[in-house]
Amino acid sequence: MTPRNEGSTLRPRYAHVVAFFIGVGVAVAWVFWSAGAGGGDGRLKLPRPKIALSRETTFITEPLAEDGYIDYLAALNAISSQGVTPDNNAAVPFYQAFGPRDVLQERREHVARLLGIQPPPEQGKYFIDETSYIQRNRKVALQVGDHDEDVDQPLESQFELARHRPWLPDDFPLVAAWLKENEQALELIVAASKRERFYFPLFGSGDHPMVIAASLPMVLHARNASGALIARAMLRLKRGEADEAWADVLACHRLARLIPQGPTLIECLVGIAIEGAAAHADAAIAHHGGLSAEQARRLAEQLRRLPPMPKMVDKIRTGERFMFLDAVSMMARRGTAEIRLLTGSGGDTSGLVAGLANWAGAWAINWEEPLRMGNAWFDRFVEAFGKPTRAERDAAIAQIEADVQQLAQQARDPKKWLAELLTSSPGRSMGRQIGRMLVALLLPAISSVVKAEDRGAVYTAFGQVAFALAAYRADHGEYPADLAQLVPQYLAAIPEDPFANAPLRYERKGAGCLVYSVNINGRDDGGASFTVNPDGNAGLFPDADDVAIFMPWPEKK
């Protein structure tokens, strides 16, 4: 569900540990098999692990599945749906816009019931995504004799360019036709963006669907929808319909705050990506929209009135924690051989050897140990995010990542674990080793999470600066030489670049300008990134990673 810690690259090295567990499991389980532990169907009956339900272990004590384990998927759905109704839930018209095709057939009634609606019909005039539309038209082009290389790039580049600068149907006819076909769905999406809440149930397949494998179909749909709205905004902008263009871009800003109301980091990351795309559209409207100073101030005020972007720490506190605890519970429920599903080592988890290992693991391992370990780590994450200053937060996160790497090294060293096994109870020792392995595999890459959130703050600041620049130009006929000239009449203060502990950078470019952050590498690349250069030249800065808004968007040279 989320980017994982670098410790996840250790997966192949766990093979010897898994083999050891299975070996121990076979030996111990064989003894108990002879004592009558086998089931009537010839399979081993897994004993019920003794897991105390508490804040330190399972974190929550309900709801329970039929087998007595915590149902973390149901818990997240209950938390996310609090205060949600069919009338205030943006996911309802969103679902109507995209249809049920990405919801498992056997889960559609369940999802609709949780939403409080009837399932959308199988067939309908639903949104068709950019990739599918390109593929459909690619087939048509190939039928008239074009080669693959003659078709793919021109089709894809139409959509890319249509999201970055004003255009007319003759410029990008395929995009214009795509938007026309999606007109009805786009109106539903804009209407959805005006609602206050967004809850789409998590669901999965099987008897005990896991949080880590839950489907998030609305996440991809949100990315596709925002791309279409921004392309339509650029079309409307070229037609002189600045108010209509702004309505589409504002809908994207709202979606960027609605989608992350879900419980996962993935939804937050998608919200940040949508906010970034909307910031580029803000700059286009500010530059090409012919705004008066008063109009520019009005748009900036509408941005300020939007709710803040949801916080990553809230997803770590609950959603990501539940994902980890659910993975431990899965192993306790199904057995230690199931670790291969998480390590990616494959193999049969239903054969006799795996069954013996599973039975022994459920009998011998103290499963409260990895649960307690996981909770302790997530508590540290939450504490780090709550530090009073960015410097203290970054220092705490750096220490956490160093400690995770040390734990991963311990998990790879069988000698240290065997030494612990001789000085501690076998059940607790094996539980700790399982905990080390899962911490290294499943904890989110916390520094990447922090950097993404900081980048989201930059994107939000871009809109304010863009409209302040538009107001200044309306009053003075040109952009300022320096952002300081915007303060205090047009901007209360120059927003900070969190990656530099300094104000955002700014540069005049002829009759235009750009505003940028140095981003993760901390180096001033003049506003250039891997894909975009302020001068329009390609390939000059392959290592650059600045994030910027351009007024106007640079033309390729």
Side-chain angles (χ1 to χ4, degrees), residues 414-489:
K415 293 180 181 178
K416 290 186 177 180
W417 177 59
L418 290 173
E420 180 186 56
L421 188 63
L422 296 175
T423 59
S424 179
S425 69
R428 293 188 64 187
S429 179
M430 287 191 286
R432 290 194 195 103
Q433 181 66 358
I434 289 284
R436 294 185 192 103
M437 296 162 67
L438 293 182
V439 164
L441 287 167
L442 298 179
L443 288 193
I446 192 67
S447 63
S448 297
V449 169
V450 169
K451 291 168 184 173
E453 186 164 76
D454 285 345
R455 191 160 48 249
V458 169
Y459 292 147
T460 299
F462 278 163
Q464 295 295 326
V465 176
F467 291 122
L469 287 166
Y472 182 98
R473 187 178 68 157
D475 284 340
H476 297 86
E478 62 180 358
Y479 289 121
D482 189 274
L483 286 183
Q485 293 178 252
L486 299 177
V487 180
Q489 183 176 355

Side-chain angles (χ1 to χ4, degrees), residues 34-49:
S34 63
D41 59 358
R43 301 178 63 185
L44 290 173
K45 290 182 178 179
L46 294 181
R48 172 80 179 275

